[in-house]
Amino acid sequence: MDYGGVEDLVRGLTRAKVAVSRASDISPVALIPFKARDVLQVALRRNLELASSFVEVFNAQLYVPLFVLSRAAMETGALALDMWDRIDVVGSTQNKPGLVALDEHLSKVLLGSKASITPDAKLFEAVNVLTLVDHLTKKHKIELRPYYDGLSEFAHPNFHGMVAAYRHAPSEDQPTLESRYVDRPFSKNSGLLKVPLNALATGLAMNLIAVESYEATFATFARLCEEDAHDRGIWPIDLAYPRP
């Protein structure tokens, strides 16, 4: 993956943006399709900002921030792709009882938090991103978790994100117990720059797959949700069913 590939993904995500989403335009009764679009459109915009920041940081030749930004993009893409996987399973199997669990997951993604200072923290616990990464690694047979763990070694103040980045390796002409520091490790570690670049591309690609797949099928998914509402007897009596 190169810069050009990332730019193609950014263009694809930009084209996939929906400016305004109205629940009533999707369904007068079923809210799950509206919430799902919310998740995917918000994730899309988050990743576009992360990609823009990544490019600025890359051009400024900063090093560790590239790993932090690309890890965040991978997390966001994983959340989006996992969301699509859940929708696809329910939709493709016509599993109307599965809509309950899907709706609960949507609420956690949209409103979940781990900080007790937020009003909904006790109502909706944030989704564990490592669980999503592990799930996608297994389901799609892609090495997301090892890649994610590698990024974390740089994003965290561990050896690779600290000493290996900002200190020269000792040489024979150095006095004992002397450290020589690096202010800008970008050039020194240029061989590793493909790691965050590929991670960014992976996050953007997962996000693009999710949003395009959902937009291509959301009308069918909305009809399934409406069938479920009708089956459960909550369809408005003054509204024709099925809708034209």
Side-chain angles (χ1 to χ4, degrees):
M1 179 59 66
D2 57 18
Y3 238 31
V6 168
E7 289 172 350
D8 288 342
L9 289 166
V10 167
R11 282 192 287 269
L13 285 170
T14 301
R15 287 193 299 269
K17 287 199 296 185
V18 173
V20 178
S21 181
R22 296 181 179 88
S24 59
D25 291 342
I26 300 173
S27 171
V29 175
L31 287 178
I32 292 177
F34 171 68
K35 290 195 230 177
R37 177 182 270 175
D38 253 7
V39 169
L40 295 174
Q41 287 292 320
V42 169
L44 179 158
R45 285 163 169 79
R46 172 180 161 90
N47 256 352
L48 283 174
E49 277 207 335
L50 288 168
S52 178
S53 297
F54 185 97
V55 170
E56 289 183 17
V57 166
F58 193 98
N59 290 338
Q61 296 194 353
L62 303 180
Y63 181 63
V64 164
L66 294 174
F67 293 88
V68 177
L69 290 166
S70 61
R71 190 180 72 154
M74 181 177 281
E75 291 173 343
T76 307
L79 183 142
L81 185 57
D82 175 78
M83 176 60 65
W84 162 244
D85 281 347
R86 291 169 187 265
I87 293 168
D88 187 41
V89 167
V90 171
S92 62
T93 60
Q94 298 287 291
N95 179 19
K96 284 181 272 191
L99 289 169
V100 175
L102 177 61
D103 194 24
E104 291 175 355
H105 182 74
L106 280 164
S107 295
K108 289 181 179 179
V109 172
L110 287 168
L111 301 172
S113 174
K114 293 190 179 295
S116 58
I117 58 173
T118 58
D120 294 317
K122 293 182 179 179
L123 294 175
F124 303 105
E125 183 178 357
V127 174
N128 188 315
V129 70
L130 287 179
T131 301
L132 302 185
V133 169
D134 285 339
H135 169 72
L136 293 172
T137 298
K138 182 177 180 180
K139 179 178 176 64
H140 295 282
K141 295 180 173 56
I142 49 178
E143 295 300 304
L144 278 183
R145 181 58 188 267
Y147 215 90
Y148 181 85
D149 288 343
L151 292 171
S152 296
E153 289 301 310
F154 293 85
H156 294 311
N158 294 348
F159 172 76
H160 290 289
M162 291 279 287
V163 172
Y166 298 102
R167 193 185 74 183
H168 285 292
S171 60
E172 293 182 359
D173 66 336
Q174 280 182 239
T176 304
L177 297 180
E178 176 184 279
S179 294
R180 299 178 183 178
Y181 302 109
V182 179
D183 292 331
R184 309 278 289 207
F186 184 93
S187 297
K188 177 173 81 79
N189 296 301
S190 59
L192 291 173
L193 296 179
K194 63 182 180 182
V195 174
L197 187 61
N198 284 335
L200 173 66
T202 300
L204 297 179
M206 290 191 292
N207 210 153
L208 185 58
I209 290 169
V211 71
E212 287 187 336
S213 299
Y214 181 69
E215 289 300 321
T217 60
F218 87 89
T220 302
F221 178 61
R223 284 195 293 272
L224 177 68
C225 295
E226 289 181 346
E227 285 178 18
D228 178 61
H230 186 264
D231 292 349
R232 290 188 291 117
I234 60 173
W235 190 266
I237 58 174
D238 60 342
L239 186 64
Y241 179 84
R243 289 195 302 130

